[in-house]
């Protein structure tokens, strides 16, 4: 049975919340209201929400900062009185905005789009909830040093930059560093996740739309290109866009011109383009799945981000940095690694790269029983992750079932292990379901389905 999508509305004015939730309830979308950002952060830890709507652009930066410690990938919409306020809110971290007075069709369109993106994001690997204290790449390896030297030279120019590397290797961080070290550093940095956007949404997200362009377009809305004016537009997972979108993107890169959806006015794009992909673009070109002319437009300056296994010297400083950040965020300052524990981490290959190491350290810190993380703790977590029997083994809490146990009802054994895993994760997370999902290495949505299945909480 499909769960009803639910919004968390952060609004002091109950009338605004009623105006927003009316059309949503008619469409089968649930809504819950809290008065302020502090209450929203508490509520997010207790229950599952698909989208957050904040009344007023002023609260968006604070909400994005606070909510990052609870859930890293929840779409945030903002209610504003003027388009300029909406633009500022999106640049501060909101996904989109709704202009007051609210229009029923626009509410349904914008919220529906956010729900679709929220559902698509559930397929991505979990990201850490702990935001880095500063924007920098940590490490001491020769491979990292070479990357940073090339990055510095690339950032100073105006050419399009293509960031390449495996998933979880830090491509977005490299893109942000290009912006930070460029002459456009005082302008906005705007991200578009191309893989999460189907064609019908990607065009309007990139180029914006005019009033009346389609049902729900009740006012003009700037796209990401316009929002990035004077700054950097980061197109993530560019290798996943369809041939139809490739044609439109080629014109944008070639002529630096575009039109809003439903409009006739030609606009100029004063942006620096940075793109990223984990895919083999040359192979896609050979197969005819990616335009060769677009590839050459993107591949002006390439920054290769090495996988973590190619720079083992960086594992120790990365692990120490993650440990400090996670411990501070969870009120456990003072938690540290033993030397033997760090040595074990350095021996691992980390196929999920820096993101996998970060999430691994996060679990170690949260689950640690004392102030020191020992080699035994690391070995125990490695064994938990080594299982291959679905949810229970992947989360690491379930028992390993041997081939001799064929008389056991396998399905029942797995379900029992899953239930124990969830109960232990919830206990370790002190009831915070979003954190429990991260400790289990699964999406928020998967955890809530399991909670319903096992009638927990």
């Amino acid at each position: 049975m499909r769960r009803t999508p639910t919004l968390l509305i952060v609004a002091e004015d109950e009338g605004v919340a009623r105006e927003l939730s009316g059309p949503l309830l008619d469409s089968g979308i649930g809504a819950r209201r809290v008065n302020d950002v502090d209450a929203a952060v508490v509520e997010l830890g207790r229950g599952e929400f698909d989208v957050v709507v904040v009344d007023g652009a002023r609260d968006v930066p604070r909400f994005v900062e606070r909510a990052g410690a609870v859930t890293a990938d929840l779409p945030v919409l903002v209610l504003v009185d003027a388009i300029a306020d909406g633009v500022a809110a999106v640049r501060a971290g909101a996904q989109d905005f709704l202009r007051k007075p609210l229009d029923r069709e626009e509410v349904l369109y914008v919220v529906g789009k956010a729900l679709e993106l929220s559902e698509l994001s559930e397929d991505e690997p979990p990201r850490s909830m702990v935001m880095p204290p500063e924007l920098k790449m940590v490490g001491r390896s020769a491979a990292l040093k070479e990357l940073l030297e090339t990055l510095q030279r690339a950032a100073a120019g105006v050419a399009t930059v293509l960031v390449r590397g495996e998933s979880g290797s830090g491509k977005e961080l490299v893109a942000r560093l290009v912006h930070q070290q460029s002459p456009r550093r005082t302008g906005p940095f705007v991200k578009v996740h191309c893989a999460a956007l189907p064609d019908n949404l990607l065009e309007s997200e990139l180029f914006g739309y005019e009033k009346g362009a389609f049902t729900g377009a009740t006012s003009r809305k700037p796209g990401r290109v316009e929002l990035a004016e004077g700054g950097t537009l980061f197109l993530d997972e560019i290798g996943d866009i369809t041939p139809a979108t490739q044609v439109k993107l080629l014109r944008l890169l070639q002529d630096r011109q575009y039109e809003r959806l439903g409009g006739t006015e030609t606009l100029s794009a004063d942006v620096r383009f940075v793109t990223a992909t984990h895919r083999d673009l040359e192979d896609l070109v050979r197969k005819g799945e990616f335009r060769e002319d677009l590839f050459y437009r993107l591949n002006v300056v390439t920054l290769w981000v090495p996988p973590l296994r190619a720079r083992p010297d960086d594992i120790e400083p990365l692990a120490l940095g993650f440990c400090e950040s996670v411990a501070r965020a969870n009120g456990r300052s003072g938690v540290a690694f033993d030397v033997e524990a760090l040595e074990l981490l350095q021996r691992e290959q980390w196929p999920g790269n820096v993101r996998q190491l970060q999430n691994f350290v996060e679990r170690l810190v949260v689950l640690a029983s004392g102030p020191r993380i020992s080699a035994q703790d690391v070995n125990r977590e490695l064994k938990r992750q080594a299982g291959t029997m679905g949810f229970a083994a992947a989360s690491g809490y379930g028992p390993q079932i041997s081939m001799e146990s064929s008389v056991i009802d396998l399905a029942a054994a797995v379900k029992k292990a899953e239930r124990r895993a969830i109960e232990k994760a919830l206990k370790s997370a002190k009831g915070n379901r979003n954190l429990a999902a991260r400790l289990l290495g699964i999406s928020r949505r998967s955890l809530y389905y399991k909670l319903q299945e096992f009638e927990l909480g």
Side-chain angles (χ1 to χ4, degrees):
M1 184 176 176
R2 189 175 180 84
R3 184 184 64 82
T4 301
T6 307
L7 272 69
L8 180 62
I9 303 172
V10 186
E12 189 174 344
D13 186 342
E14 190 175 350
V16 170
R18 274 199 307 268
E19 186 182 0
L20 175 64
S21 59
L24 299 177
L25 293 173
D26 293 343
S27 300
I29 301 171
R32 194 178 307 169
R33 182 183 73 90
V34 293
N35 286 328
D36 53 38
V37 170
D38 292 332
V41 172
V42 173
E43 197 68 25
L44 284 169
R46 291 175 177 164
E48 182 182 18
F49 297 93
D50 301 276
V51 178
V52 176
V53 183
V54 179
D55 182 21
R58 183 182 59 185
D59 286 336
V60 168
R62 182 164 175 260
F63 176 81
V64 170
E65 180 183 354
R66 293 287 311 280
V70 183
T71 178
D73 54 3
L74 204 62
V76 178
L77 308 178
V78 61
L79 308 181
V80 297
D81 295 306
I83 289 178
D85 293 333
V87 170
V90 172
R91 288 176 172 175
Q95 180 185 288
D96 208 338
F97 64 89
L98 285 160
R99 190 177 177 185
K100 295 188 281 189
L102 298 175
D103 177 88
R104 174 187 172 82
E105 293 299 328
E106 187 178 20
V107 166
L108 293 176
Y109 171 73
V110 173
V111 171
K113 181 174 63 173
L115 287 171
E116 186 171 352
L117 291 172
S118 177
E119 186 169 346
L120 287 165
S121 72
E122 291 292 345
D123 296 329
E124 295 180 23
R127 296 174 184 267
S128 175
M129 295 184 297
V130 180
M131 298 295 105
E134 55 184 316
L135 198 62
K136 66 177 182 178
M137 295 198 77
V138 175
R140 58 196 177 206
S141 67
L144 182 62
K145 183 180 179 182
E146 182 180 349
L147 169 63
L148 292 177
E149 288 174 350
T150 308
L151 186 155
Q152 191 173 24
R153 292 195 298 270
V158 296
T160 298
V161 175
L162 175 61
V163 185
R164 308 184 68 171
E166 296 177 4
S167 294
S169 58
K171 295 188 296 297
E172 182 175 344
L173 177 56
V174 168
R176 290 182 179 275
L177 285 170
V178 169
H179 172 71
Q180 185 189 64
Q181 297 181 26
S182 77
R184 291 174 172 261
R185 67 178 66 89
T186 57
F189 177 90
V190 177
K191 176 185 174 182
V192 180
H193 194 324
C194 299
L197 289 163
D199 276 354
N200 63 327
L201 293 182
L202 184 54
E203 186 175 357
S204 65
E205 282 293 295
L206 278 174
F207 306 123
Y209 52 81
E210 296 287 351
K211 180 179 180 180
F214 48 80
T215 302
T218 57
S219 62
R220 180 178 64 79
K221 184 73 70 73
R224 303 289 160 165
V225 178
E226 198 169 342
L227 290 169
E229 188 80 6
T232 302
L233 181 65
F234 174 45
L235 303 175
D236 196 13
E237 298 303 351
I238 197 71
D240 292 294
I241 62 175
T242 64
T245 305
Q246 290 174 32
V247 174
K248 297 180 175 71
L249 184 58
L250 177 63
R251 188 212 168 187
L252 177 63
L253 288 166
Q254 215 165 240
D255 304 331
R256 303 294 168 120
Q257 293 183 331
Y258 65 100
E259 287 91 33
R260 298 189 193 98
L261 206 62
T264 56
E265 181 186 3
T266 299
L267 304 172
S268 296
D270 178 21
V271 299
R272 169 86 178 275
F273 292 96
V274 178
T275 64
T277 184
H278 70 283
R279 303 191 67 182
D280 186 340
L281 292 184
E282 290 87 351
D283 185 52
L284 293 178
V285 169
R286 283 192 295 272
K287 292 177 179 177
E289 297 174 11
F290 200 87
R291 293 180 63 103
E292 187 174 15
D293 47 4
L294 177 58
F295 170 71
Y296 288 121
R297 285 284 174 184
L298 296 173
N299 197 35
V300 179
V301 176
T302 301
L303 296 176
W304 287 93
V305 185
L308 193 52
R309 63 183 174 276
R311 47 188 185 108
D313 289 345
D314 295 339
I315 292 174
E316 180 179 333
L318 281 167
L320 291 173
F322 293 148
C323 180
E324 182 182 355
S325 298
V326 174
R328 185 170 56 247
N330 286 277
R332 305 205 60 191
S333 295
V335 174
F337 280 101
D338 285 341
V339 174
E340 295 81 5
L342 287 171
E343 289 174 350
L344 281 176
L345 294 180
Q346 286 184 294
R347 294 176 197 163
E348 291 300 311
Q349 292 295 302
W350 303 109
N353 293 298
V354 177
R355 186 185 302 160
Q356 183 188 9
L357 175 64
Q358 184 173 9
N359 290 338
F360 187 91
V361 171
E362 189 170 347
R363 282 191 290 276
L364 284 174
V365 172
V366 173
L367 298 174
S369 56
R372 307 292 298 182
I373 297 174
S374 66
Q376 183 180 1
D377 294 325
V378 173
N379 270 322
R380 183 169 56 248
E381 185 63 28
L382 287 171
K383 288 177 182 177
R384 286 171 178 169
Q385 292 198 4
T388 57
M389 299 191 66
F391 170 86
S395 64
Y397 294 90
Q400 301 300 306
I401 302 173
S402 67
M403 293 301 293
E404 291 82 5
S405 304
S406 56
V407 294
I408 299 175
D409 184 336
L410 182 60
V414 170
K415 284 186 178 295
K416 187 176 180 180
E418 286 181 351
R419 185 185 181 96
R420 281 205 303 270
I422 292 170
E423 289 173 339
K424 186 168 183 178
L426 285 169
K427 182 179 179 181
S428 298
K430 298 179 181 178
N432 185 319
R433 295 178 176 184
N434 289 301
L435 178 55
R438 296 202 47 73
L439 293 175
L440 292 165
I442 60 175
S443 70
R444 292 178 291 113
R445 184 170 280 107
S446 296
L447 174 60
Y448 281 86
Y449 286 147
K450 290 294 179 182
L451 290 173
Q452 287 181 329
E453 179 183 347
F454 297 126
E455 298 181 350
L456 293 171

